[in-house]
Amino acid sequence: YSEGKGWVPIGDENSKFRGSFNGNGYSITGLTIDKPETDYIGLFGYTEGATIENVALEDINVNGGDYTGGLVGKTSNSTIIKDSYATGSVTSEGSRTGGLVGSAYSSTITNSYATGEVTSTGDYTGGLVGRASESTITNSYATGAVTDKGNYVKYVGGLVGEAENLTIENSYATGSVVRGTGNYTGGLVGRASGSTITNSYATGEVTSTGNFTGGLVGSAVSSTTITNSYWDTETTRQTKSAGGEGVIGKITEEMKKQITYKGWDFENTWEIEEGQSYPTLKNIAN
């Protein structure tokens, strides 16, 4: 710990964490970092080719600059994150801010989630990951409110702010997405470029006065393909979404019925309390 500023992140731009860390399911409670003028902030600041698994972060309070996440500020070069989660709040005075990871490049996130509020004043803000590129997110979710208080900032999403060449599968976001006058705002993803989204959904209220706002995705470009994915037209308060025919808006009543979710695996991956709840992931805490 540093005097008055809380935890000193493991790894930074000059000395990246390249090892393996297994939390063995033990909880790290009350992680506190208050370094709004410092980049690469999280339990880990910057990872490269690392493996991080079974890490449970409870009731965190993380405040950083660019590249701020509850678990990792920035991941790169085949970093693997699995079976991990963060609860609590993440705040950033910069760009690339996420409840679990600030920025994910060439990385894999599996069976992981974030439930805390994410607040930023810069571009690329997401409930799970602020910006993700050349990466994969599967069986993961975010439930915290995502708020970007900056003027004219871009790329805000309930799960991911901006997705570039990203694969998202079996994932969802339920937190509200609130931003001001900037562009690219979505219940799941703000902007998707060259990406694939399959069997995913969003339900949180989406609020923005900027361009490219959607219930599931704000903007989908560069051959982005979205299949069997849904948004709640009532709770998101959005009547449209980018992404083509594979993005389907449904009222709340329909969103709580298994029959709505064409092609979804309710034997091994998903479960639903018929008529009472949205689908949840079987092999991950909810």
Side-chain angles (χ1 to χ4, degrees):
Y1 277 76
S2 56
E3 190 67 31
K5 300 294 184 180
W7 175 256
V8 177
I10 302 167
D12 58 26
E13 188 175 15
N14 298 314
S15 180
K16 303 176 184 67
F17 177 76
R18 297 183 171 91
S20 297
F21 181 81
N22 190 327
N24 292 316
Y26 288 101
S27 296
I28 299 171
T29 302
L31 176 72
T32 300
I33 306 174
D34 186 16
K35 299 180 179 181
E37 297 179 355
T38 304
D39 300 338
Y40 306 107
I41 294 296
L43 178 67
F44 294 86
Y46 199 142
T47 68
E48 184 177 75
T51 298
I52 300 171
E53 56 187 322
N54 300 314
V55 177
L57 297 176
E58 303 271 3
D59 194 26
I60 65 174
N61 187 355
V62 173
N63 183 17
D66 292 343
Y67 303 100
T68 295
L71 182 62
V72 187
K74 181 176 181 178
T75 68
S76 66
N77 293 21
S78 302
T79 289
I80 295 170
I81 295 174
K82 59 182 179 180
D83 301 314
S84 298
Y85 69 86
T87 73
S89 66
V90 176
T91 306
S92 167
E93 301 296 323
S95 66
R96 297 169 176 81
T97 309
L100 195 72
V101 176
S103 175
Y105 171 74
S106 180
S107 299
T108 301
I109 299 173
T110 307
N111 290 359
S112 297
Y113 65 92
T115 67
E117 294 185 1
V118 180
T119 307
S120 176
T121 58
D123 293 340
Y124 312 110
T125 308
L128 192 75
V129 182
R131 187 177 193 275
S133 58
E134 312 295 338
S135 297
T136 300
I137 297 173
T138 57
N139 291 52
S140 298
Y141 68 89
T143 64
V146 179
T147 305
D148 201 310
K149 296 182 177 180
N151 292 323
Y152 305 108
V153 297
K154 304 178 290 295
Y155 316 116
V156 183
L159 191 77
V160 178
E162 184 181 47
E164 184 179 26
N165 299 327
L166 175 70
T167 296
I168 298 174
E169 186 174 11
N170 296 330
S171 298
Y172 64 92
T174 63
S176 61
V177 182
V178 181
R179 52 141 316 94
T181 53
N183 298 332
Y184 307 113
T185 309
L188 190 78
V189 176
R191 181 178 185 267
S193 173
S195 296
T196 300
I197 301 173
T198 308
N199 296 4
S200 299
Y201 73 86
T203 64
E205 183 177 358
V206 179
T207 306
S208 173
T209 59
N211 296 321
F212 306 106
T213 301
L216 190 80
V217 178
S219 172
V221 297
S222 302
S223 301
T224 289
T225 302
I226 306 178
T227 308
N228 294 343
S229 296
Y230 304 83
W231 87 95
D232 187 320
T233 57
E234 293 180 288
T235 57
T236 63
R237 299 196 175 189
Q238 294 294 322
T239 58
K240 60 181 176 55
S241 173
E245 295 181 357
V247 182
I248 304 152
K250 296 286 187 179
I251 63 173
T252 303
E253 182 181 3
E254 293 174 307
M255 290 285 290
K256 294 181 177 180
K257 293 181 178 179
Q258 181 174 328
I259 195 173
T260 294
Y261 300 92
K262 307 297 184 186
W264 288 32
D265 183 355
F266 281 92
E267 287 188 14
N268 303 300
T269 304
W270 294 95
E271 59 189 356
I272 190 169
E273 190 176 352
E274 188 68 19
Q276 302 298 315
S277 69
Y278 299 105
T280 54
L281 292 162
K282 279 189 171 184
N283 299 318
I284 184 172
N286 291 280

